[in-house]
């Protein structure tokens, strides 16, 4: 992927595209499929269709699955379209545009931390009409990790404590916010909250987390695909 195209620039009859365009083309295709899969998942959990219809759709989905042929990634293999750590994660169950499970949450720097927005759907339901508590934990865990990245200290969760003040509504624009509250050697303290986009003052869920920057030996053991020195 990092090889130069300059050697071919004067001899090729077809102009070469910049190397970065191919991953972007693949990401666009992955995101498009992810979008349609999320629509399918949403329709699946909302439908009251007849058993005959469900069996027919099952056959169609089975046929589509068979089309995803070719090599499959190994358990610890990082997708070629990802930038890990601290970059694009196309299949993240929280932020991944290619994931049928993700809301997906988008995030931006804000107020000394990181803010994320998303909408939880019927597939994320716990109590009727509200998000599963585990989804709140996953959203905050992800965003608090990104807060560590934004602070220049990519780290892994070692502790996460949540307080559920109010139920998190489905089909409602949500806002999550996280920021680093302290750094001591390799240990990072992070706080986070979930509110609605309409009312940032009313906290639905709050969290305190402890994260740790892995030392090089530990990082090599956890992520053998990364060129860690």
């Amino acid at each position: 992927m990092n090889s130069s195209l300059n050697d071919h620039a004067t001899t090729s009859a077809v102009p070469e595209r910049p190397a970065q365009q191919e991953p972007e083309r693949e990401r666009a295709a992955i995101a498009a499929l992810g979008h349609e899969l999320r629509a399918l998942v949403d329709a699946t959990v909302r439908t009251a269709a007849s058993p005959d219809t469900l069996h027919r759709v099952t056959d169609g989905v089975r046929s589509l699955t068979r089309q995803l042929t070719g090599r499959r990634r190994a358990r610890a293999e990082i997708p070629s379209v990802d930038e890990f750590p601290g970059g694009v994660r196309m299949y993240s169950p929280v932020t991944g545009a290619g994931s049928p499970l993700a809301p997906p949450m988008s995030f931006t720097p804000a107020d000394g931390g990181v803010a994320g927005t998303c909408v939880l759907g019927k597939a994320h339901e716990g109590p009727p009409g509200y998000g599963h508590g585990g989804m709140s934990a996953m959203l905050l865990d992800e965003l608090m990790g990104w807060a560590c990245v934004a602070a220049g200290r990519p780290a892994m969760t070692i502790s996460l404590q949540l307080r559920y003040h109010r139920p998190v509504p489905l089909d409602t624009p949500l806002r999550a916010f996280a920021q680093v509250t302290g750094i001591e050697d390799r240990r990072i303290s992070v706080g986070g909250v979930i509110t609605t986009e309409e009312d940032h003052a009313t906290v639905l869920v709050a969290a305190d987390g402890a994260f740790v920057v892995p030392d090089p030996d530990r990082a090599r053991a956890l992520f053998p695909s990364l060129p860690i020195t």
Side-chain angles (χ1 to χ4, degrees):
M1 244 169 51
N2 295 325
S3 61
S4 172
L5 298 178
N6 292 338
D7 293 342
H8 305 282
T10 58
T11 59
S12 175
V14 179
E16 296 280 359
R17 291 179 299 175
Q20 66 269 24
Q21 284 190 9
E22 190 59 33
E24 289 307 318
R25 181 170 177 268
E26 189 174 355
R27 286 173 185 155
I30 290 169
L33 177 59
H35 175 79
E36 296 305 327
L37 289 175
R38 286 189 293 275
L40 175 62
V41 169
D42 186 71
T44 299
V45 298
R46 291 181 189 268
T47 188
S50 69
D52 287 344
T53 297
L54 295 179
H55 284 302
R56 186 170 63 254
V57 171
T58 298
D59 290 339
V61 171
R62 186 179 298 114
S63 176
L64 290 173
T65 301
R66 293 193 186 111
Q67 296 182 43
L68 295 175
T69 58
R71 190 181 73 84
R72 292 175 180 259
R73 286 188 291 113
R75 182 187 67 84
E77 183 179 351
I78 299 169
S80 62
V81 292
D82 279 9
E83 298 169 354
F84 179 81
V88 175
R89 300 295 306 281
M90 289 301 297
Y91 299 106
S92 162
V94 178
T95 62
S99 171
L101 308 175
M105 181 171 67
S106 60
F107 58 92
T108 56
D111 304 322
V114 180
T117 57
C118 68
V119 176
L120 295 183
K122 200 71 170 170
H124 307 121
E125 189 174 52
Y130 298 98
H132 193 287
M135 284 302 304
S136 296
M138 189 160 67
L139 294 178
L140 285 169
D141 182 43
E142 177 80 5
L143 198 64
M144 292 162 82
W146 280 108
C148 293
V149 172
R153 304 293 296 274
M156 301 179 68
T157 317
I158 58 174
S159 174
L160 187 64
Q161 296 183 327
L162 277 82
R163 298 176 299 282
Y164 295 89
H165 297 284
R166 292 174 174 80
V168 176
L170 301 179
D171 301 327
T172 302
L174 302 174
R175 181 182 190 267
F177 176 77
Q179 65 182 153
V180 170
T181 57
I183 299 176
E184 184 178 350
D185 193 20
R186 293 191 296 114
R187 186 184 177 97
I188 305 171
S189 299
V190 189
V193 296
I194 295 175
T195 67
T196 63
E197 271 279 55
E198 184 179 8
D199 181 8
H200 293 186
T202 301
V203 174
L204 307 178
V205 183
D208 292 305
F211 290 69
V212 66
V213 179
D215 61 51
D217 288 341
R218 182 62 173 157
R220 277 190 290 270
L222 288 170
F223 310 114
S225 300
L226 291 181
I228 298 168
T229 58

